[in-house]
Amino acid sequence: EVQLVESGGGLVQPGGSLRLSCAASGFTFSTSWMTWVRQAPGKGLEWVATIKEDGSQKLCVDSVKGRFTISRDNAKDSLYLQMNSLRDEDTAVYYCARGNGHSWGQGTLVTVSS
Amino acid sequence: DVVMTQSPLSLPVTLGQPASISCRSSQGLLRSDGITYLYWFQQRPGHSPRRLIYNASNRESGVPDRFSGSGSGTDFTLRIGGVEAEDVGVYYCMQATHWPPTFGQGTKVEIK
């Protein structure tokens, strides 16, 4: 059974940093593109970042470019999202997903507020 | 970015009756490899999204056959053959043909 378990969310002040993690199991992580998608409270879904199987290609949407970095450790079956210079509008539940949303984690809430 | 427009945004349905959600993209979604990267997701209240349909018309394993996807180019449809109580939630279309992948606004399905 595919499992994706996010962690690392919490309350952070504007301008602060946070690192999200996603532990994967039940599939061959090292051969899967991985993705972060977020959902602001009461709002729709927004693609954030994607990383190729071997980490050689990383893509981020314009709204987070230069602030967020996606990475992975295939030896640990783990996906990460380093979030710097956080803004109020980054407040959301952040989901880890396999590929183009084939499987999703339960999400971790990030709240940016002073 | 490709804009995905869903309609309706709210869909009250009688149990057992069919339902249909439309999704239109601002650009064609057929990629040069011959695949249309259009997906449908269901998000039940308090839950993570779940992928129902991939490549416009292929049902994911374990998804009831009352769900079907159709369409091509810029016009796509998700049909629910006969709505059941467990189908309540928000449905999203998403394209991954063009970077960045983009979602529709969501359609809230509720029981009348």
Side-chain angles (χ1 to χ4, degrees):
Chain A
E1 179 195 2
V2 172
Q3 278 206 317
L4 297 167
V5 180
E6 301 94 335
S7 60
L11 175 63
V12 61
Q13 292 188 338
S17 298
L18 216 51
R19 189 195 195 208
L20 305 184
S21 300
C22 171
S25 61
F27 65 101
T28 307
F29 181 77
S30 61
T31 62
S32 297
W33 283 71
M34 295 298 295
T35 293
W36 288 99
V37 176
R38 67 184 179 183
Q39 186 170 35
K43 302 296 184 183
L45 301 166
E46 180 188 20
W47 200 274
V48 175
T50 295
I51 187 167
K52 199 176 177 181
E53 300 97 325
D54 60 0
S56 62
Q57 191 172 1
K58 305 175 184 181
L59 299 166
C60 289
V61 295
D62 286 349
S63 59
V64 307
K65 204 168 286 184
R67 301 187 300 123
F68 290 12
T69 302
I70 188 172
S71 63
R72 65 191 296 160
D73 184 339
N74 286 347
K76 295 183 178 179
D77 288 349
S78 293
L79 176 72
Y80 306 101
L81 186 67
Q82 178 66 44
M83 304 186 295
N84 299 329
S85 303
L86 282 161
R87 305 168 180 168
D88 291 352
E89 56 264 33
D90 296 319
T91 294
V93 173
Y94 285 73
Y95 294 102
C96 163
R98 180 184 176 192
N100 286 338
H102 179 277
S103 312
W104 297 66
Q106 84 289 349
T108 187
L109 176 61
V110 172
T111 303
V112 184
S113 174
S114 54
Chain B
D1 296 359
V2 175
V3 177
M4 305 296 287
T5 303
Q6 290 182 229
S7 63
L9 300 184
S10 177
L11 184 55
V13 186
T14 301
L15 283 173
Q17 292 301 301
S20 181
I21 301 170
S22 170
C23 176
R24 289 185 173 174
S25 58
S26 60
Q27 298 178 37
L29 299 185
L30 178 63
R31 213 160 75 174
S32 55
D33 60 6
I35 297 173
T36 297
Y37 291 90
L38 185 283
Y39 306 87
W40 288 98
F41 296 88
Q42 174 196 62
Q43 188 173 31
R44 291 172 172 150
H47 286 78
S48 303
R50 169 198 183 193
R51 199 166 82 179
L52 301 176
I53 303 289
Y54 65 95
N55 300 354
S57 59
N58 296 284
R59 196 180 307 114
E60 289 285 353
S61 174
V63 172
D65 61 8
R66 63 180 179 274
F67 290 95
S68 64
S70 64
S72 62
T74 61
D75 289 338
F76 302 90
T77 301
L78 176 71
R79 290 187 175 85
I80 309 175
V83 171
E84 299 189 6
E86 65 181 20
D87 300 334
V88 165
V90 181
Y91 291 77
Y92 297 91
C93 61
M94 186 201 88
Q95 69 80 25
T97 298
H98 306 279
W99 178 263
T102 47
F103 293 90
Q105 318 97 299
T107 295
K108 187 173 185 178
V109 172
E110 57 184 13
I111 305 301
K112 278 184 187 175

